[in-house]
Amino acid sequence: MRMKTAAAVRQGLAHRLRGTPCQDAARGAHNGQCAVAAVCDGAGSCPRSEVAARALCGWIVDWLPARFDELYGLEERALAARVLEAGLRRLDETGLDRPACSCTLLCAARHRDGRLLVLHIGDGFVFSGEEVVSWPENGRFADETYFFSGPDAAAHLRVLRRREAGDTALLLTSDGCGDALYDPDAGRPAAAVKKLCDGIARYPEEQVAAALEHNLAEVFSQVSEDDLSLAMLFCGV
């Protein structure tokens, strides 16, 4: 079983002009049994949300693989509650209060036996080359969303489980990239998503990460002033 992950983050123009740190985080890792990728997007209204985004993103990538079997076997609400309990403990360790920790979470983990687990709260997309695996969820208004540390997180942390019959290649995006990678007319991911998914299947991780960084700098930064983040995973024979 071949496993690969890649991730890239770029500070948005709006944040650079305001002197605001990049509030996105993206990571990936694999251990031979499980590959996991994650993206977190800190709330722009919270001046220290980058601390929470980095802490949560790094935590889920390190924490989830060893607990994959346990989590996958839980009922959906129990699974979400287990993740929230452990993740909030990690955020509390930052020393920030819960409102200051406001960030989204997108996480995908694929086991070598084909089981796929996706966790998602807030905006952003999880794509395969052919479909939207998980959609953004906004609040009452288009510029509102839900956060991992929010009071309503238990109702909005979504869980997807399924078994993959063949290779799996997934792309996780923050909202800064997501809209540009979805084709609303066709109702499916844009052609660039398929190209990236094919790329991680064919090329080494370092080359894929460099391609993600190039796309953030040369393509996505031209269409969005927001912080930008992408993470990918691949599992295949």
Side-chain angles (χ1 to χ4, degrees):
M1 173 66 66
R2 293 182 300 140
M3 294 186 176
K4 305 178 197 178
T5 59
V9 177
R10 182 177 176 83
Q11 184 184 28
L13 176 62
H15 282 210
R16 292 200 302 274
L17 292 175
R18 293 197 302 264
T20 305
C22 178
Q23 294 173 308
D24 277 14
R27 277 195 59 191
H30 50 86
N31 62 6
Q33 293 295 317
C34 182
V36 59
V39 164
C40 292
D41 183 355
S45 59
C46 298
R48 300 291 306 284
S49 67
E50 74 279 359
V51 175
R54 291 169 192 164
L56 190 65
C57 194
W59 165 79
I60 194 71
V61 167
D62 292 338
W63 179 85
L64 192 151
R67 296 162 180 82
F68 187 94
D69 288 333
E70 171 200 346
L71 294 170
Y72 201 90
L74 293 174
E75 180 273 330
E76 182 175 313
R77 286 300 98 198
L79 194 165
R82 176 83 171 90
V83 172
L84 283 167
E85 178 186 24
L88 289 172
R89 282 201 304 268
R90 175 64 187 96
L91 290 178
D92 289 343
E93 291 172 359
T94 66
L96 301 174
D97 61 27
R98 296 279 174 87
C101 286
S102 295
C103 63
T104 65
L105 171 69
L106 300 89
C107 178
R110 158 72 201 264
H111 194 274
R112 62 178 296 128
D113 65 10
R115 288 176 294 166
L116 176 68
L117 172 62
V118 176
L119 305 168
H120 188 176
I121 184 167
D123 48 26
F125 285 89
V126 180
F127 294 112
S128 72
E130 294 75 31
E131 64 171 327
V132 178
V133 176
S134 188
W135 297 80
E137 183 182 15
N138 297 105
R140 289 189 304 157
F141 303 101
D143 60 348
E144 292 183 347
T145 192
Y146 299 99
F147 299 115
F148 191 90
S149 62
D152 48 5
H156 293 280
L157 178 59
R158 288 169 284 147
V159 175
L160 178 148
R161 284 174 289 198
R162 71 188 190 194
R163 189 172 291 272
E164 303 281 279
D167 295 352
T168 299
L170 297 178
L171 174 66
L172 289 65
T173 84
S174 63
D175 62 333
C177 299
D179 290 342
L181 287 168
Y182 176 68
D183 182 345
D185 294 329
R188 54 175 293 134
V193 176
K194 180 70 161 57
K195 186 175 180 180
L196 288 169
C197 289
D198 289 346
I200 197 171
R202 295 177 57 192
Y203 298 110
E205 290 176 318
E206 297 80 4
Q207 195 168 341
V208 176
L212 295 182
E213 291 176 358
H214 174 80
N215 275 279
L216 293 185
E218 302 299 327
V219 179
F220 296 109
S221 65
Q222 307 305 308
V223 298
S224 175
E225 295 184 352
D226 197 1
D227 291 335
L228 306 166
S229 54
L230 299 169
M232 299 193 74
L233 69 76
F234 171 78
C235 290
V237 295

